[in-house]
Amino acid sequence: MSLEESFAKLCVEPQSDATVVKALVFKPKTPKSATPVPIVVVALLSTTTPSPLIASATSTKDPRLARDDLFKDVFNCSTAKEFHLGHLAQANSEFKLLVDDKLSKLAGSTICNVNQKFLQQEQLSDYLEQFSPEVVDFSQELPSKETKKPAPVAAAKSAALEDAKLIGITVDKALDFSGWYQQILTKGEMLDYYDVSGCYILRPASYAIWEVIQRWFDDRIKSLGVQNAYFPMFVSSRVLEKEKDHIEGFAPEVAWVTRAGSSELEEPIAIRPTSETVMYPYYAKWVQSYRDLPIKLNQWNSVVRWEFKHPQPFLRTREFLWQEGHTAHLAEEDAKEEVLQILDFYAGVYEELLAVPVVKGRKTEKEKFAGGDFTTTCEGYIPQTGRGIQGATSHHLGQNFSKMFNISVENPQGPEFPKVFAYQNSWGLSTRVIGVMVMIHSDNKGLVIPPRVSQYQCVVLPVGITAKTSDEQRIAIHQAAKKVEDRLHTAKIRVFGDYNDNYTPGWKFAQYELKGVPLRIELGPKDMSNEQVTVVRRNDSRKYTVKLNELETRIPEILEEMQKDLFLKAKELFDTHRKIVNEWKDFVPSLNKKNVILSPWCGVMECEEDIKDSSAKKDNGEEFEADDKSPSMGAKSLCIPFEQPELKEGQKCVKCDRPAIQYCMFGRSY
Amino acid sequence: MSLEESFAKLCVEPQSDATVVKALVFKPKTPKSATPVPIVVVALLSTTTPSPLIASATSTKDPRLARDDLFKDVFNCSTAKEFHLGHLAQANSEFKLLVDDKLSKLAGSTICNVNQKFLQQEQLSDYLEQFSPEVVDFSQELPSKETKKPAPVAAAKSAALEDAKLIGITVDKALDFSGWYQQILTKGEMLDYYDVSGCYILRPASYAIWEVIQRWFDDRIKSLGVQNAYFPMFVSSRVLEKEKDHIEGFAPEVAWVTRAGSSELEEPIAIRPTSETVMYPYYAKWVQSYRDLPIKLNQWNSVVRWEFKHPQPFLRTREFLWQEGHTAHLAEEDAKEEVLQILDFYAGVYEELLAVPVVKGRKTEKEKFAGGDFTTTCEGYIPQTGRGIQGATSHHLGQNFSKMFNISVENPQGPEFPKVFAYQNSWGLSTRVIGVMVMIHSDNKGLVIPPRVSQYQCVVLPVGITAKTSDEQRIAIHQAAKKVEDRLHTAKIRVFGDYNDNYTPGWKFAQYELKGVPLRIELGPKDMSNEQVTVVRRNDSRKYTVKLNELETRIPEILEEMQKDLFLKAKELFDTHRKIVNEWKDFVPSLNKKNVILSPWCGVMECEEDIKDSSAKKDNGEEFEADDKSPSMGAKSLCIPFEQPELKEGQKCVKCDRPAIQYCMFGRSY
């Protein structure tokens, strides 16, 4: 029996007092190359369904009533006029469903579809439920276009169906990446928007990831002799402005405290954008002899950079959490060795914990940390936008700051030799890493979180309980499931069970997929009699059957396999989108195919600027996403990778006539 | 041979070109009841030694040239005129020694004491070394009286003798508690003063203690189902001011950001003084059904309270680190149970980790958290000042905030019942705990840190190496010591070794005593042949001999014994200074004897204020320390202890005629 037939079976006799319902189909505006996902709106005939509200609820642009060809293509229905709800069951591609919240308030009524199919309200609701509807309050105010905050994800109000708020992601990652990113973070309960623009709430699901990263990184830097400390968040303007090159980079973004209670402060006080100038006057004080070196301090704190560009959760926020390490060494080579050790740890956070591949390298003079000698970096890649993203940076400051702040010691060779200024490093990794991880692994069902960092690694669910299940049997299944949970807990797996009978397993599956729990462990009557559980991976729904007596060995293995597979998949995407381009004519076309580019380069700053300008035009008229900082963004240098393609004899720069001295990685970027 | 005789032996033949040195003795001003510690200044005859510099270097008040009676009492020397450096060796009580830094620059010269004793400079230095001299640059500028920052501890400049800065505390805990507290924190390298007033740098030695506390407390709250999160540090004025009672308490101390870069913000933004109003609007949003309760979040962050009172490291700082937990419950009894569980954890931080005894109880209406229903607290006691100190508080907010922010759910009994507002708690513990710990255990030699929280628990030192020791033997001792270190490290003891031959063991002993390392493990030739180490406890210099084959079992035992003994000693001091006073006539006299007081009390707020006013007078004319907030500070209510003395039938309030309803603990306080 087809779904449409089953729909037909639901229909009842025509009734004169039936409430009439309309079913409208919209097509959103999408880039030419993309396939639009239709939006079906089911609402009372009396309800107005304004296009901006539909756009907001689905995070799409300009939805318009669909033409007949779409009805044909998607619903096997020859014209818009013939379309009725039964057609939903035979759709041959994806669509989104919005349901008027007034519909849910008609319990007990008969509903009349515009095409004269009559149903009971409950049956209609049940029928629609399979298409993961989003319930929308169409009577709400239209979102204002002037609103400065990102469009609220939950323009769709969920009051009517109590659990509708938990129903999945309504935006396609491939079509509206920025809308998808917003939804996935908020519906996945990682983050919430906050009433101060550019600031976000890190909810337990994301903070727990940060805690795993903290523990991992902290253990490693402590093994290098780094100690944690805490310096004040405030810095006087005199100290802040001491290193000129450095402050020039930060000055436009510094937040100033000018008032306390009702008193104006005598002198405004800055909130640290980073702590070089906060810490180094004290390094100068504490370092009296070469025996006081090296000094290696790190702090886990938050810093404030009041950027005026469009903020984005995790990636560009006005306050963010990070660690900042600041070390001072007697010997230049010790400092330089450390810079790379730390960079390896940063790459480890990405690759080993977050399953995100990165390319390590050095920043160009243009892109390096202001005031330092050189900056090393690990760079990631976001496939959907084809943009590079700076992962974390480790700077060698040379003696620039130590000379400015007089961090110096008597020469160990004796007082007749000149005094030695310390060689310094600073290095930082922020909660940005979580945003990169989400962008790379998650999908249209919700978050996908790598097992090593996920707050919970497994959820245990009793399944197969129906109306026919005896109480005894139900209890036995629950108890067996709880035992699985307890055993995994004892085996140090981060696990929880959900034994709530008020929700169907299907609803729960969707919920934990949304939240990105790596493994779902199902236990039903069949599993019980076979002494097994059924395990489903979040990332690809791959199923495993695990015998109960192998629980403690197999689950960790499956978690590690998933971790590895996530990394390999992401790595393949990065590797296949990192193109060697030797001639300028191929540069922009390759960039426009969402690649980052490795090109032979002369190393001259003006040429780098020229590359950026020349790649900024909309060369092929392609539309960019709404979240681009600029729709015509040019390619920046991302890094000069440590791992270099071989440079041919006499190879010229990709852009100018000068000889190339190395390959540089260029890309549009965050 | 007495020390004076040995001094005589050092003397050489009179020489006409000798540099003349003077030895002056000063007596600082102290409270009448205290015994002054004399200050001996050894300087070139040509050096002026201004009294304010001596005061600053020793953290004393108004040092004046001593009269003959002091020479008699302290140095067994009949008059000031007869006094020479040899008398130092026969002092029968403590004194402080300041040495002119010019003296150290006279290597090779002959020195002539004013009493015609001639010595070589090196011998004089060696001789003075035994009295732990502080080297002072008397040519430095006088500290300005107008300086707003606390007097710099290191007015004594240490450039001349490279390691003089590490030489001990120069202020007596019993005589100048506040000067001692400053020195102990800075010289012990726990903390440094910062150029923004009221802000301090937490150096690794103190931050490591905080990390131990974090781990301990975090594990426990997680076992209650609390999750960590991070909310922004900024809060809009609209949200901040939502709960009126609450904001009234904080408004005068709120720091406001009004400018970013060069742009004035449209609306000033506050830095959180605490996060109730930051978090609760989101609790209201997230809590849609009773199934969303309880919600239990905690954050480790910093908050800002721009107090205008005299700041004090750890105890009253404008930015401080803390944790703040915020929970919302469906049932009142669950919330109330949690408030007490958390209070027990706080008491555990003090008693189990920091070896600081506390009294648990409830705050009076006057002293409770503004906007909450009731506040529970653990209260400590500082013996030297006789003042109570609030340790940490756990508040039951009732439904006050949930009604204000609409944190409510439909009644689980059904929609016909009224909706339920959540019952909330908030609770916080700050880095103040470290200040309390330092005040209680540390002494005139430096910090004393309880083993469970100390960054390092043991230092291993090779000893007994003299000029006669063969290279082979020296290497063997070093290797054996290193092996001890490695074995303890493997046994998870936080240990380090100091194998630097440039310092004498005596100098190292002083250094690690200053820093408060709990155990010193010495290994010398005799220890080697006996296959043992000598272990010395920091708190009381108690010595243990530990056989090498018992290292891994005995050292942890000795550490635990020390932990216990620190607690018992502090507990005895608190217990013997907590007096039951039933009659008002005994109240102030007992208070003035540095007690906190348990008195029967009526519970009326006006009476509480009367007690404070009436105990505020300088009843006995006694001098108070300079660090008192007010020299005539009255007694506040500290808490109504959970553990109550039995109230007699018809017992009246200690202050007024009303009947007493309970015992309340009163005291001068921080």
Side-chain angles (χ1 to χ4, degrees), chain A residues 74-95:
Chain A
V74 177
F75 297 107
N76 288 324
C77 160
S78 38
T79 66
K81 274 196 179 170
E82 285 171 43
F83 180 74
H84 63 80
L85 288 174
H87 286 108
L88 295 182
Q90 59 191 28
N92 49 35
S93 69
E94 227 181 334
F95 63 91

Side-chain angles (χ1 to χ4, degrees), chain A residues 148 154 158-159 162-163 165 192-196 199-205 207-208 211 215 218-219 222 227-236 238-239 251-263 265-266 268-269 271-272 277-279 282 285-286 288-292 295-297 300 302-304 306 308 318-319 321 455-456 500 502-503, chain B residues 148-149 158 162-163 165 191-196 199-205 207-208 211 215 218-219 222 227-236 238-239 251-263 265-266 268-269 271-272 277-279 282 285-286 288-292 295-297 300 302-304 306 308 318-319 321 455-456 500 502-503:
Chain A
K148 279 179 193 163
S158 52
E162 186 173 19
D163 302 314
K165 67 173 169 140
D192 213 334
Y193 283 76
Y194 185 70
D195 91 321
V196 173
C199 295
Y200 303 90
I201 298 162
L202 301 191
R203 301 186 68 179
Y207 197 82
E211 289 182 300
R215 188 71 65 98
D218 209 63
D219 286 348
K222 280 181 176 156
Q227 299 183 308
N228 286 331
Y230 188 79
F231 284 73
M233 71 154 87
F234 296 117
V235 48
S236 69
R238 186 182 52 77
V239 170
E253 301 170 359
V254 170
W256 293 93
V257 175
T258 64
R259 188 149 55 87
S262 53
S263 318
L265 299 185
E266 279 178 34
I269 292 176
I271 304 179
R272 62 181 162 216
T277 60
V278 170
M279 295 165 84
Y282 298 90
K285 180 182 163 191
W286 297 333
Q288 294 295 327
S289 140
Y290 69 89
R291 288 185 215 96
D292 298 325
I295 180 164
K296 301 182 182 182
L297 298 184
W300 295 96
S302 80
V303 290
V304 172
W306 207 270
F308 291 92
R318 286 178 170 173
E319 181 194 4
L321 300 181
Q455 183 180 23
Y456 298 105
N500 190 331
N502 291 325
Y503 298 95
Chain B
K148 279 181 194 162
K149 281 195 288 182
S158 54
E162 187 172 19
D163 302 314
K165 66 171 172 143
L191 171 141
D192 213 335
Y193 283 78
Y194 185 70
D195 90 322
V196 174
C199 296
Y200 302 90
I201 298 161
L202 301 191
R203 300 186 68 179
Y207 197 81
E211 289 182 300
R215 189 71 66 97
D218 208 63
D219 286 347
K222 280 181 176 157
Q227 299 183 308
N228 286 331
Y230 188 80
F231 285 73
M233 71 154 88
F234 295 118
V235 48
S236 69
R238 187 182 51 76
V239 171
E253 301 170 358
V254 170
W256 293 93
V257 175
T258 64
R259 188 150 54 88
S262 52
S263 318
L265 299 185
E266 278 178 34
I269 291 174
I271 303 178
R272 61 179 164 217
T277 59
V278 170
M279 293 165 84
Y282 298 90
K285 180 181 164 193
W286 297 332
Q288 294 295 327
S289 141
Y290 68 90
R291 289 185 215 97
D292 298 324
I295 179 164
K296 300 182 184 183
L297 299 184
W300 295 96
S302 81
V303 290
V304 172
W306 206 270
F308 292 92
R318 285 178 170 172
E319 181 194 3
L321 299 181
Q455 182 180 23
Y456 298 106
N500 189 331
N502 291 325
Y503 298 95

Side-chain angles (χ1 to χ4, degrees), chain A residues 12-13 15 17-19 106 108-112 118-121:
Chain A
V12 294
E13 286 303 298
Q15 295 187 15
D17 63 346
T19 306
L106 296 173
S109 314
T110 303
I111 305 288
C112 169
F118 289 77
L119 296 91
Q120 289 302 119
Q121 185 266 355

Side-chain angles (χ1 to χ4, degrees), chain A residues 309-495:
Chain A
K309 289 185 219 158
H310 182 54
Q312 220 177 358
F314 295 117
L315 301 199
R316 190 183 303 114
T317 65
R318 286 178 170 173
E319 181 194 4
F320 58 86
L321 300 181
W322 76 345
Q323 60 65 224
E324 50 177 327
H326 296 268
T327 62
H329 303 255
L330 185 63
E332 187 174 9
E333 58 270 28
D334 291 346
K336 285 183 169 171
E337 186 189 346
E338 184 200 78
V339 160
L340 296 179
Q341 282 171 325
I342 296 294
L343 191 72
D344 282 344
F345 293 159
Y346 287 160
V349 167
Y350 275 103
E351 302 201 329
E352 292 179 38
L353 297 184
L354 304 171
V356 169
V358 289
V359 167
K360 291 186 287 185
R362 194 166 51 79
K363 287 283 186 189
T364 62
E365 284 302 298
K366 182 171 186 292
E367 298 291 337
K368 77 174 186 186
F369 182 66
D373 264 15
F374 65 83
T375 289
T376 66
T377 180
C378 47
E379 298 282 324
Y381 166 74
I382 307 296
Q384 275 68 29
T385 57
R387 279 153 70 173
I389 185 158
Q390 180 177 305
T393 46
S394 175
H395 315 291
H396 178 57
L397 308 177
Q399 297 177 309
N400 301 341
F401 284 86
S402 64
K403 283 180 178 165
M404 205 61 71
F405 288 92
N406 193 23
I407 305 171
S408 63
V409 295
E410 202 174 81
N411 200 308
Q413 295 176 265
E416 66 275 23
F417 292 89
K419 68 176 176 176
V420 179
F421 289 95
Y423 292 88
Q424 292 184 266
N425 297 330
S426 73
W427 25 271
L429 175 100
S430 79
T431 38
R432 154 174 282 211
V433 298
I434 298 172
V436 177
M437 176 203 80
V438 168
M439 286 185 163
I440 285 184
H441 302 301
S442 301
D443 61 27
N444 285 344
K445 288 195 287 185
L447 293 164
V448 175
I449 318 264
R452 289 194 192 157
V453 295
S454 192
Q455 183 180 23
Y456 298 105
Q457 297 171 314
C458 309
V459 54
V460 178
L461 298 174
V463 298
I465 295 168
T466 65
K468 288 177 203 156
T469 311
S470 70
D471 262 11
E472 205 174 44
Q473 210 175 354
R474 195 181 53 77
I475 290 168
I477 293 173
H478 274 219
Q479 283 175 341
K482 183 75 179 83
K483 202 173 161 196
V484 167
E485 183 194 343
D486 291 344
R487 281 176 55 187
L488 290 175
H489 186 79
T490 306
K492 307 267 184 222
I493 308 286
R494 298 190 293 271
V495 61

Side-chain angles (χ1 to χ4, degrees), chain B residues 68-83:
Chain B
D68 286 350
D69 54 351
L70 183 142
F71 286 89
K72 248 179 247 160
D73 288 355
V74 177
F75 297 106
N76 286 323
C77 160
S78 37
T79 67
K81 273 195 177 169
E82 285 171 44
F83 180 74

